[in-house]
Amino acid sequence: MSTIGQVVANLDAWLATMRQTGGYGGPVPHWWGSCFRYAGPGMDWRYEGILAGYATLYRRTGAAHWQHRLALAAGDVLAAQRPDGSLAASRFEANPGSLGTPHEAAAAAGLLAAHRVWPHPAWVAAAGRILDNQVVQLWDPATQGFNDRPHQFGRVPNKLATLGEACLLYAAGTGDARYLAYAAAALADVLRLQVNALGRPESGAVHQQAAAGGGDGRFFPFYNARIVPGLLLAAELLGGDRYRTAAQRIGEFLSRVQNPDGSYPQVLYAGGGRAEGPRWIAGAAEVLRAQTLLGRAVPAVVQHRLLAGQLPTGGFRTGEGFSGASGVDFRDVTPAVGWNDKVLRWLAESGAVPAAPPPPTVRPASVLVTVRGRPAIWRETPEAITMVSGAADRALWYRWNKREPWARGVWEVLAG
Amino acid sequence: MGEVAVSLVVRPQGLPDHAGGHEWAWRMALDALFMDVQTAGVGRLQCVLGLPGAAEGVRDRAALSLAKGPGVAVAWLGVPPDADPWTHVDRVYVLQYRRHFWARRPPHDATWHLEWERAIYLPAARALGAGMWLTGRLGAAPWHDRFFRSLPRHFAAAGGPAHYAVQAWAPGEGRS
């Protein structure tokens, strides 16, 4: 296995291939639905991990290489900001839509995390405009909370945790106490949707969203992990034991549901059901990070599984088990910047990072995959991601030129 | 290469609201259109839109697209096409809401040919949406998720009955 320094250097080299005019692009495989048509820049949560990850690498090493990467990424977000404070293409798997949740708040958090390392008033101002717009669009005075869509009641705890974290960072950076109150309101809804009953598989977990009578009975380990950093920051800035206790209980839930191979199920349902796939590979970095922040030991198998998911290109596979059948689905292998940013941040915070990154040792990757059950050859180079039929005709089923915002191909792939 | 220049005229047609499955359908149709704009080298797009709620989606995609050529296209999205632009453009896009809206072939210039078509928001997707609604009401989250996750595969097809059909038309050889 490569050293962590080499892993980071190769991931950084891959990320560089994913940049085009305007920022980091690429297709997005996701549980909710995938985005293989638009592959242009996305100002979504990918910028949370990229900004925080490169900022941490710069803080830890002082290397100009990481500082340059950080400046580029921050510049992308500032350039994509619209007059109302929102960001273009901020909905990740639903790009190129805007007002993405938690994505715009996540990008704001990334800018604010970067500002802590390399102070830039313009970054704080841009983050403030994002958050101001989130308040205008999503704050519901009647219920004293943040909706998930304008003028439509809804509460999604993991998104509220990200928004709360961004609000706390902003308040800490500017002294604007209004945002302490907004953070407290957002996180109150998170705590309200945590399972307090003991002895259940989902004990300590937080429902995916509010529903009539409480939560919706869905518990995603990945999204629960994303709640932890916001709660821990709240414990620090708002005080009180309840935030830290809630975060620790999530950590216990994560440990309890971990599979022996180091993976985590996609979702557990109240009543005992669970859907295993897709099991995240790159996204598992969020679970590792949460457990690390909580000071909890993470079995080595979890880390090994994540690191084994790095492709020869330097990018990390998205997951395994997308199709539910045997074999590698094209969505399993396709790496997305918005999953790999999480690996970057975790490695930057946890790994033994050398002062100067070693030269990358990357090469094109080729993987036999299935597309809706039919064999195909998936290939990635610095210039493109392609899929061709596994049949003798080698028909082109998908091509995304990495310098272009739109892909082309057959609908079986484009539908995602 | 700059962004694709778009001129947008809105002519409301009483189409279904830009929400739920219809919002998905518009997103998919606009994605298909702008994928083609890039491939076909369209640099300027004149868009006549029948649904005001979809205007932001058109503008967003145009701003994020690269003009890879000097081509001019017109798009009739939820609006019956007029005759005139067919003689002055390199490409025509049509988004129909239910096929009885207007004639399938362009009536004014027989040399134009249908290059591709996608049927969007299929009956199967409608049925899955109903299943999602019902299982959501019953609190049957695993079934709700199964229906939801199978939607993309059943949302569009090369043809057949559907709420929407998006088409790309190209001029024939020898057009003056």
Side-chain angles (χ1 to χ4, degrees), chain A residues 377-389:
Chain A
I377 301 166
W378 180 97
R379 184 170 167 79
E380 182 178 12
T381 68
E383 293 78 32
I385 291 177
T386 57
M387 283 173 245
V388 298
S389 164

Side-chain angles (χ1 to χ4, degrees), chain A residues 8-381:
Chain A
V8 172
N10 289 357
L11 175 56
D12 172 61
W14 174 79
L15 284 167
T17 73
M18 301 297 279
R19 282 189 63 80
Q20 58 177 262
T21 302
Y24 291 92
V28 175
H30 202 350
W31 191 82
W32 310 106
S34 302
C35 182
F36 277 79
R37 303 185 292 268
Y38 176 75
M43 298 299 133
D44 45 45
W45 69 8
R46 74 191 71 182
Y47 276 88
E48 178 187 49
I50 286 173
L51 288 162
Y54 281 132
T56 302
L57 287 168
Y58 173 51
R59 174 176 58 78
R60 292 185 64 191
T61 67
H65 179 82
W66 306 126
Q67 185 185 29
H68 175 65
R69 295 281 200 244
L70 175 57
L72 279 178
D76 294 341
V77 179
L78 266 61
Q81 191 163 39
R82 306 194 291 196
D84 66 358
S86 68
L87 302 174
S90 65
R91 291 181 66 183
F92 196 42
E93 82 278 10
N95 270 340
S98 59
L99 199 65
T101 54
H103 300 290
E104 296 200 3
L111 287 170
L112 293 162
H115 171 75
R116 285 185 153 190
V117 172
W118 186 15
H120 274 71
W123 299 354
V124 179
R129 287 193 295 275
I130 292 171
L131 296 177
D132 287 346
N133 188 54
Q134 295 273 300
V135 170
V136 168
Q137 299 289 342
L138 302 175
W139 176 253
D140 181 359
T143 58
Q144 293 290 295
F146 286 95
N147 291 326
D148 194 44
R149 304 185 75 167
H151 317 302
Q152 188 176 321
F153 178 79
R155 298 287 190 274
V156 184
N158 81 85
K159 299 181 179 186
L160 293 171
T162 301
L163 178 58
E165 184 181 357
C167 290
L168 290 170
L169 288 169
Y170 185 70
T174 62
D176 187 339
R178 289 177 308 147
Y179 277 93
L180 290 177
Y182 285 133
L187 295 170
D189 276 327
V190 175
L191 297 183
R192 190 170 58 79
L193 288 164
Q194 186 169 35
V195 176
N196 292 315
L198 302 174
R200 295 184 187 167
E202 67 269 28
S203 293
V206 179
H207 290 268
Q208 179 64 13
Q209 62 186 56
D216 69 347
R218 298 187 300 169
F219 308 95
F220 291 75
F222 167 79
Y223 288 115
N224 268 268
R226 279 192 59 83
I227 291 172
V228 168
L231 290 176
L232 292 178
L233 189 61
E236 186 183 319
L237 297 181
L238 298 177
D241 290 340
R242 57 192 173 139
Y243 298 115
R244 189 173 299 281
T245 301
Q248 285 291 353
R249 297 199 64 217
I250 291 174
E252 292 161 11
F253 164 74
L254 295 173
S255 295
R256 204 166 56 243
V257 300
Q258 183 211 307
N259 291 319
D261 68 353
S263 69
Y264 296 84
Q266 178 64 224
V267 55
L268 281 79
Y269 296 103
R274 60 201 271 164
E276 283 290 330
R279 295 174 296 278
W280 300 127
I281 291 179
E286 290 291 68
V287 183
L288 282 164
R289 179 169 186 259
Q291 297 285 44
T292 304
L293 290 173
L294 288 165
R296 297 173 59 86
V298 181
V301 66
V302 179
Q303 295 186 35
H304 289 157
R305 177 177 173 275
L306 169 59
L307 295 174
Q310 191 169 34
L311 293 158
T313 57
F316 282 77
R317 293 169 186 245
T318 291
E320 57 184 355
F322 255 95
S323 73
S326 60
V328 179
D329 187 87
F330 70 100
R331 293 163 293 179
D332 291 335
V333 72
T334 301
V337 176
W339 296 118
N340 275 263
D341 72 296
K342 289 141 187 60
V343 185
L344 180 75
R345 178 165 64 170
W346 173 68
L347 290 171
E349 292 175 354
S350 306
V353 181
T361 55
V362 293
R363 62 183 193 281
S366 187
V367 180
L368 294 175
V369 299
T370 58
V371 174
R372 306 297 175 208
R374 293 191 294 166
I377 301 166
W378 180 97
R379 184 170 167 79
E380 182 178 12
T381 68

